[in-house]
Amino acid sequence: MNKIHCLVWNEFVHEKSDANVARLYPNGIHGAIAQALEEDERFEVRTATLDSPEQGLDEATLAWADVVLWWGHTAHNLVKDEYVERLHRAITQRGVGLIPLHSGHMSKIFMRLMGTSCDLKWREIGESERIWVVEPSHPIVAGVPETFVLPHEEMYGERFDIPAPDEIILLSWFQGGNVFRSGCTWKRGAGRIFYFRPGHESLPSYYQSEVRQILRNGAAWAARQPGIPSTPYGHQPQPLEKVFPNKEES
Amino acid sequence: MNKIHCLVWNEFVHEKSDANVARLYPNGIHGAIAQALEEDERFEVRTATLDSPEQGLDEATLAWADVVLWWGHTAHNLVKDEYVERLHRAITQRGVGLIPLHSGHMSKIFMRLMGTSCDLKWREIGESERIWVVEPSHPIVAGVPETFVLPHEEMYGERFDIPAPDEIILLSWFQGGNVFRSGCTWKRGAGRIFYFRPGHESLPSYYQSEVRQILRNGAAWAARQPGIPSTPYGHQPQPLEKVFPNKEES
Amino acid sequence: MNKIHCLVWNEFVHEKSDANVARLYPNGIHGAIAQALEEDERFEVRTATLDSPEQGLDEATLAWADVVLWWGHTAHNLVKDEYVERLHRAITQRGVGLIPLHSGHMSKIFMRLMGTSCDLKWREIGESERIWVVEPSHPIVAGVPETFVLPHEEMYGERFDIPAPDEIILLSWFQGGNVFRSGCTWKRGAGRIFYFRPGHESLPSYYQSEVRQILRNGAAWAARQPGIPSTPYGHQPQPLEKVFPNKEES
Amino acid sequence: MNKIHCLVWNEFVHEKSDANVARLYPNGIHGAIAQALEEDERFEVRTATLDSPEQGLDEATLAWADVVLWWGHTAHNLVKDEYVERLHRAITQRGVGLIPLHSGHMSKIFMRLMGTSCDLKWREIGESERIWVVEPSHPIVAGVPETFVLPHEEMYGERFDIPAPDEIILLSWFQGGNVFRSGCTWKRGAGRIFYFRPGHESLPSYYQSEVRQILRNGAAWAARQPGIPSTPYGHQPQPLEKVFPNKEES
């Protein structure tokens, strides 16, 4: 069986400018996410960052990828529009999956796919987050407990300005009084998208077992399917069925 | 313009057996809900209870109603199956709306329409509930603030065993760590359904202004539409379009 | 009761370059659509075209509008990006409704809101289209028969590259063997969108009574709601509920 | 890797009373469906019929099954309510998948899960059916062409009285002027459901390659997931998070 090709993309900025983040994620946030994926033999994993050639979004890499996990925050605007459109085509036309993580809600690619501001409320006081599974039959939560706690997280709160998800799988409770749709899926063209809310750059959420399980499940779910039907668009001059010349309506 | 006919149905049991509930709702829970609706001139309101002839679900009453608001808790099983089926037909075949309230999540009619257990977690310690609007463009939340607090409520928590709603409009945060999909809509046949989570019989939630606004908005939204297209089912022997006798597929 | 302000926007190009279209729609396609709306006393109607100041999308006009009906085809690219973004803000932030009509599926504003190509198959041989109502309780089909025929229309066929609609209300059958999701709704931010498939510029679909009824129903459904809850985004430094300083998880 | 356990249930009545059906499906409709599944090494397949002990729905069989494919038509009412409830529990509580096929739309189990009449229009004149894929990224259509023709089928037409599906994957075009949502999914409790429209008992649809591919894909998609989170319902007396005794609302 062919392996699922996972590209972990990270802007890789906080880790180089903030000593605490660097200590927490010595191989970058992408390193921690890649490690979580590599625990599963189904996956083959590569990483890319803003510093990579063509910002890690070259045609060869996107042709290789079945799913892209995306972490970005402070450098969204540095990602070139040209590469965003390339990634958009890979997702919508070729079926590459996308998993925007945490602050990736404001990445150019996610906003481009959603058509809305993707804005939300946020607060950074180290409060706790409790996540609840609301769609237990979904493969993204296989092996995950019905509820688990991230002891300290950045708060993300509703109203989250997204299109109504195809599926809402996880809801978050925050100590300070907010709630959030923390695990959501959409389909766009041939591609599948899974937004997953954790984790903040200064907190160890990507080392927590439940989060890692969901990353693996999500990557498997969103990854490009083999055998996607081709659906040519545009002018189809010939009818598929015979058309009557002198049609009369009943 | 014709008025919208609202039938407020209440089992009317707690009010007769519990002095605290009686003090809180001296005209019954149905009385408080009816009063909230009557503040809006668009509505004409009637009430019915388990004690009414045919449990308040006689054919004439259901023919009159455009929407039924349903409060039940301890006496779900006393509602006769025959009347539940009658109400089911009124909803699915004639387009009467249904608004199950609070513990109405386990009413026979709601479970019949959903096809699932409609079960949930609950806790009664007087904790606070904070409700968030997540679909601000929906008419059910017109004039409602983005968030409001019920100072004390019974907790209802996920997993709420319902089919994925057509629309999720409200999410609740509970002090004790739970979340809930508190305002949800579905369509079933010709009818429209709005589940709304508050309020517990021993608490004054139905006197709170935001709750009353949502009751009014919900009744207007769920009420039977004039002009519902008739969609006859069953055998349709004649094709609508001419069928070729010797069809050849391309 | 305040009237619903409808802005009928039409590129108004075919009518000036094609004598057949001009004969069919002597007051422009926008004129025929406006006339359909004006049959309903709930509406106040204005029209705008590419030739209008600021292409008819000036701030004052968009502040006035509750819903915009959009017909475009050959001149999508002439609509200035700046005005598209202005319209996008009016829809998503202020709740103005949008009704893209027919070839408006490739308008900049619809593609911007959907995040996909919005492409489809098409064929122009004058075949018949039969439309079916699949969601009879929806107000958009109030008073519409369960099925009706457009004797000659341009074919639009699946795969229609749109996000899964919140609601699919109408399906089309085409004589030549194709099907299409012809009446679909989405919510985006504070705004509501209804895509409606007919009608081709060289055909009299906008004079057909069922089409006109759906235009009126759709405008009423999509129009900006009064009382949309304000949902401020961004930094919310203060928790809404008291946060424990030394929280311990169970 | 453990095999997916598929139970093919067929009432097995037409094959014994109608010589044409018997010639077409000498091993029963269940035999043809089982054969299609057995072409895939992932599956282990059993069959059951009305004649089996406990109508093939004994506890041991349902404990074994990961997914049940259901063909019924003339004998829906002979299936005992007690076994229908058993199957309902297996689906909603333990996550067994269900694939109602063709006339299985009126089976007790499907109607029970949907909460609606599941009625539709039908016609039996041997017209052709053309099926279109409208959700190409779905695993249920992997390897299936975007459109294919069943040369002769019974017509099923809208309005199909079902709850709005979670996903609409296939739409059908019928020669006589009708359309149908022919491939739909829902989740109910822990279980997943895929309705698939073909095939009529007197027609060879279950021998057609595209249909067989969809049966295999559907069985793999709907089958019980390992690791479904347990979600206990009912009274949860202890808060999960500490509750303030003297809470004051802002």
Side-chain angles (χ1 to χ4, degrees):
Chain A
M1 195 162 135
N2 292 330
K3 297 224 172 186
I4 296 170
H5 293 180
C6 303
L7 178 67
V8 182
W9 193 97
N10 177 19
E11 60 180 31
F12 198 32
V13 175
H14 291 297
E15 298 93 328
K16 293 185 285 193
S17 63
D18 183 321
N20 287 323
V21 179
R23 259 191 302 277
L24 190 59
Y25 291 110
N27 300 313
I29 291 172
H30 52 292
I33 294 170
Q35 189 194 42
L37 297 173
E38 284 163 350
E39 290 171 6
D40 188 325
E41 294 194 348
R42 287 176 300 174
F43 299 125
E44 184 177 332
V45 184
R46 293 185 192 171
T47 62
T49 71
L50 263 186
D51 300 328
S52 304
E54 301 190 34
Q55 302 188 327
L57 302 169
D58 55 288
E59 292 284 8
T61 298
L62 292 182
W64 172 85
D66 293 316
V67 58
V68 177
L69 297 94
W70 187 278
W71 202 99
H73 178 216
T74 195
H76 289 323
N77 281 329
L78 298 185
V79 182
K80 288 191 185 167
D81 289 346
E82 168 191 355
Y83 302 147
V84 172
E85 286 306 302
R86 193 186 279 168
L87 178 55
H88 186 270
R89 284 192 300 273
I91 294 166
T92 58
Q93 296 178 16
R94 297 207 315 273
V96 174
L98 180 73
I99 303 184
L101 293 166
H102 190 61
S103 43
H105 72 93
M106 292 288 263
S107 62
K108 286 182 176 178
I109 184 61
F110 187 56
M111 295 169 68
R112 171 77 173 85
L113 285 160
M114 296 292 105
T116 57
S117 76
C118 301
D119 214 339
L120 46 74
K121 299 180 198 294
W122 58 276
R123 183 174 57 232
E124 211 182 322
I125 60 168
E127 68 201 282
S128 71
E129 173 179 13
R130 177 177 282 280
I131 294 185
W132 288 92
V133 171
V134 297
E135 207 58 85
S137 78
H138 204 286
I140 285 180
V141 291
V144 175
E146 68 160 349
T147 185
F148 61 96
V149 173
L150 301 170
H152 303 285
E153 254 291 356
E154 183 183 6
M155 184 281 288
Y156 276 11
E158 298 282 346
R159 155 69 175 177
F160 185 17
D161 185 23
I162 48 173
D166 293 357
E167 300 169 309
I168 299 176
I169 303 170
L170 303 168
L171 292 179
S172 285
W173 175 101
F174 288 92
Q175 206 182 359
N178 297 79
V179 296
F180 199 70
R181 291 170 286 179
S182 286
C184 301
T185 74
W186 298 264
K187 302 185 195 74
R188 290 295 181 268
R192 311 215 281 179
I193 302 163
F194 169 51
Y195 175 80
F196 184 39
R197 203 210 72 82
H200 194 53
E201 67 270 9
S202 63
L203 297 166
S205 300
Y206 291 124
Y207 295 116
Q208 192 163 328
S209 63
E210 299 94 341
V211 170
R212 288 162 85 91
Q213 182 66 44
I214 292 171
L215 290 173
R216 287 187 292 267
N217 291 344
W221 178 85
R224 196 163 59 91
Q225 305 291 313
I228 297 176
S230 165
T231 57
Y233 298 113
H235 196 195
Q236 316 279 326
Q238 296 305 318
L240 298 161
E241 308 286 335
K242 190 171 172 186
V243 174
F244 289 86
N246 301 307
K247 187 166 178 305
E248 291 178 5
E249 302 306 325
S250 57
Chain B
M1 197 162 135
N2 291 329
K3 296 223 172 187
I4 296 170
H5 293 180
C6 304
L7 179 67
V8 181
W9 193 97
N10 177 20
E11 60 180 32
F12 197 33
V13 175
H14 292 296
E15 298 93 328
K16 292 185 286 192
S17 63
D18 183 322
N20 287 324
V21 179
R23 258 192 303 275
L24 190 59
Y25 291 109
N27 299 314
I29 291 171
H30 52 292
I33 294 169
Q35 189 194 43
L37 297 173
E38 283 163 349
E39 290 170 6
D40 188 324
E41 294 194 347
R42 288 176 299 175
F43 299 125
E44 185 177 333
V45 183
R46 293 185 191 171
T47 63
T49 71
L50 263 185
D51 301 327
S52 304
E54 302 190 33
Q55 302 187 326
L57 302 169
D58 56 287
E59 292 285 9
T61 298
L62 292 181
W64 173 85
D66 294 316
V67 58
V68 178
L69 297 95
W70 189 279
W71 200 101
H73 178 216
T74 194
H76 289 323
N77 281 330
L78 299 184
V79 182
K80 289 191 185 165
D81 290 346
E82 169 191 355
Y83 302 147
V84 173
E85 286 307 303
R86 193 185 279 167
L87 178 54
H88 185 270
R89 285 192 300 274
I91 294 166
T92 58
Q93 296 178 16
R94 296 206 316 271
V96 174
L98 180 73
I99 303 183
L101 292 166
H102 189 63
S103 43
H105 73 92
M106 291 289 262
S107 61
K108 286 182 176 178
I109 184 61
F110 188 57
M111 294 169 69
R112 171 77 173 83
L113 285 160
M114 296 291 104
T116 57
S117 75
C118 301
D119 215 340
L120 48 74
K121 300 179 196 294
W122 58 276
R123 182 173 57 232
E124 209 182 323
I125 60 168
E127 67 201 282
S128 70
E129 174 180 11
R130 177 177 283 280
I131 294 184
W132 289 92
V133 171
V134 298
E135 207 58 86
S137 78
H138 203 286
I140 285 180
V141 290
V144 175
E146 68 160 348
T147 185
F148 61 97
V149 173
L150 301 170
H152 302 284
E153 254 291 356
E154 183 183 6
M155 184 281 288
Y156 275 11
E158 299 283 346
R159 156 68 176 176
F160 186 17
D161 185 24
I162 48 172
D166 292 358
E167 300 169 308
I168 299 175
I169 303 170
L170 302 168
L171 292 178
S172 284
W173 174 100
F174 288 93
Q175 206 183 356
N178 298 80
V179 295
F180 199 71
R181 289 170 287 178
S182 286
C184 300
T185 75
W186 298 265
K187 301 184 196 74
R188 288 296 180 270
R192 310 215 282 178
I193 302 163
F194 169 52
Y195 175 78
F196 184 40
R197 203 210 71 83
H200 194 53
E201 66 271 9
S202 64
L203 297 167
S205 300
Y206 292 126
Y207 296 116
Q208 193 163 326
S209 63
E210 299 93 341
V211 170
R212 289 162 85 91
Q213 182 67 45
I214 292 171
L215 290 172
R216 287 187 293 267
N217 290 345
W221 178 84
R224 194 163 61 90
Q225 305 291 314
I228 296 175
S230 165
T231 57
Y233 298 114
H235 195 194
Q236 316 280 326
Q238 296 305 319
L240 297 161
E241 308 285 336
K242 192 172 174 185
V243 173
F244 289 86
N246 300 308
K247 188 167 178 304
E248 291 178 3
E249 301 306 325
S250 57
Chain C
M1 193 162 136
N2 292 329
K3 297 223 172 185
I4 296 170
H5 293 179
C6 303
L7 179 67
V8 182
W9 193 97
N10 176 19
E11 59 180 34
F12 198 32
V13 174
H14 292 297
E15 298 93 327
K16 293 186 285 193
S17 64
D18 182 321
N20 286 324
V21 180
R23 258 192 302 277
L24 189 58
Y25 291 110
N27 300 313
I29 290 171
H30 52 292
I33 294 169
Q35 189 193 44
L37 298 173
E38 282 163 350
E39 289 171 7
D40 189 324
E41 294 194 348
R42 289 176 299 174
F43 300 125
E44 185 178 332
V45 184
R46 293 186 192 171
T47 62
T49 70
L50 264 186
D51 301 328
S52 304
E54 302 189 33
Q55 301 189 324
L57 301 168
D58 55 289
E59 291 284 8
T61 298
L62 292 182
W64 173 85
D66 294 315
V67 58
V68 177
L69 298 96
W70 188 279
W71 202 99
H73 178 216
T74 196
H76 289 323
N77 282 330
L78 298 185
V79 182
K80 288 189 186 169
D81 289 346
E82 167 191 356
Y83 301 148
V84 172
E85 285 307 302
R86 192 185 280 168
L87 178 56
H88 185 270
R89 285 192 300 273
I91 294 166
T92 58
Q93 296 178 15
R94 297 206 315 270
V96 174
L98 180 72
I99 303 184
L101 293 166
H102 190 61
S103 43
H105 72 92
M106 290 288 260
S107 62
K108 286 182 176 179
I109 184 62
F110 187 57
M111 294 170 70
R112 171 76 173 84
L113 285 160
M114 295 293 105
T116 57
S117 76
C118 301
D119 214 341
L120 47 74
K121 300 179 195 292
W122 59 274
R123 182 173 60 232
E124 210 182 323
I125 60 169
E127 68 201 280
S128 72
E129 173 180 13
R130 176 177 284 279
I131 293 184
W132 288 92
V133 171
V134 297
E135 207 58 83
S137 79
H138 204 287
I140 285 180
V141 290
V144 175
E146 67 160 349
T147 185
F148 61 95
V149 173
L150 300 171
H152 302 285
E153 253 292 353
E154 182 182 6
M155 183 282 286
Y156 276 10
E158 299 282 347
R159 157 65 176 181
F160 184 16
D161 185 23
I162 48 173
D166 292 357
E167 300 169 308
I168 300 176
I169 304 170
L170 303 168
L171 292 178
S172 284
W173 176 100
F174 287 93
Q175 206 182 358
N178 298 79
V179 294
F180 198 71
R181 291 171 286 180
S182 286
C184 301
T185 75
W186 299 263
K187 302 186 195 72
R188 289 294 182 270
R192 312 216 280 178
I193 302 164
F194 169 52
Y195 175 79
F196 184 40
R197 203 210 72 81
H200 194 53
E201 68 269 10
S202 63
L203 297 166
S205 300
Y206 291 124
Y207 296 116
Q208 192 162 329
S209 63
E210 300 93 340
V211 170
R212 289 163 83 92
Q213 182 66 45
I214 292 171
L215 290 173
R216 287 187 293 266
N217 291 345
W221 178 85
R224 194 163 60 90
Q225 304 290 314
I228 297 176
S230 166
T231 57
Y233 298 113
H235 196 195
Q236 317 279 325
Q238 296 306 318
L240 297 161
E241 309 285 335
K242 193 172 171 185
V243 173
F244 288 88
N246 299 307
K247 190 167 178 303
E248 293 178 5
E249 302 305 326
S250 58
Chain D
M1 194 161 134
N2 292 328
K3 296 223 173 187
I4 296 170
H5 293 179
C6 303
L7 179 67
V8 181
W9 193 98
N10 176 20
E11 60 179 34
F12 197 33
V13 175
H14 291 297
E15 298 93 328
K16 292 185 286 192
S17 64
D18 183 320
N20 287 324
V21 179
R23 258 193 303 276
L24 189 59
Y25 291 110
N27 300 313
I29 291 172
H30 51 293
I33 294 170
Q35 189 193 43
L37 297 174
E38 283 163 348
E39 290 170 7
D40 189 324
E41 294 193 348
R42 288 176 299 173
F43 300 124
E44 184 178 332
V45 184
R46 292 186 192 171
T47 63
T49 71
L50 263 185
D51 301 327
S52 304
E54 301 189 35
Q55 302 189 325
L57 301 168
D58 55 287
E59 291 285 8
T61 299
L62 292 182
W64 173 85
D66 294 314
V67 57
V68 178
L69 298 95
W70 188 279
W71 200 100
H73 178 216
T74 195
H76 290 321
N77 281 329
L78 299 184
V79 182
K80 288 190 185 167
D81 290 345
E82 169 192 354
Y83 302 147
V84 172
E85 286 307 302
R86 192 185 280 168
L87 178 55
H88 185 269
R89 284 192 301 274
I91 294 166
T92 58
Q93 295 178 17
R94 298 206 315 271
V96 174
L98 180 73
I99 303 184
L101 293 166
H102 190 62
S103 43
H105 73 93
M106 290 289 261
S107 61
K108 286 182 176 178
I109 184 60
F110 187 57
M111 293 169 70
R112 171 76 174 85
L113 286 160
M114 296 292 105
T116 57
S117 76
C118 301
D119 214 341
L120 47 74
K121 299 179 196 295
W122 59 274
R123 182 172 58 231
E124 210 183 323
I125 59 168
E127 67 201 280
S128 70
E129 173 179 12
R130 176 177 284 279
I131 294 184
W132 289 92
V133 172
V134 297
E135 208 59 84
S137 78
H138 204 286
I140 286 180
V141 290
V144 175
E146 67 159 349
T147 185
F148 60 96
V149 173
L150 301 170
H152 303 285
E153 253 293 352
E154 183 183 7
M155 183 281 287
Y156 276 10
E158 299 283 347
R159 156 67 176 177
F160 185 16
D161 185 23
I162 48 172
D166 293 357
E167 302 169 308
I168 299 175
I169 302 169
L170 303 167
L171 292 179
S172 284
W173 175 101
F174 287 93
Q175 206 181 359
N178 297 80
V179 295
F180 199 70
R181 289 170 287 179
S182 286
C184 300
T185 75
W186 299 264
K187 302 184 195 75
R188 288 295 181 271
R192 312 214 282 179
I193 303 163
F194 169 52
Y195 175 80
F196 184 40
R197 204 210 70 82
H200 194 53
E201 67 271 8
S202 63
L203 297 166
S205 299
Y206 291 125
Y207 295 115
Q208 192 162 331
S209 64
E210 299 94 340
V211 170
R212 289 163 84 91
Q213 182 67 43
I214 291 171
L215 289 173
R216 288 187 293 266
N217 291 344
W221 177 85
R224 194 163 60 91
Q225 304 290 313
I228 296 176
S230 166
T231 57
Y233 298 113
H235 196 195
Q236 317 280 326
Q238 297 305 319
L240 297 161
E241 309 285 334
K242 192 172 171 185
V243 173
F244 289 88
N246 301 307
K247 188 166 180 304
E248 292 179 4
E249 302 307 325
S250 56

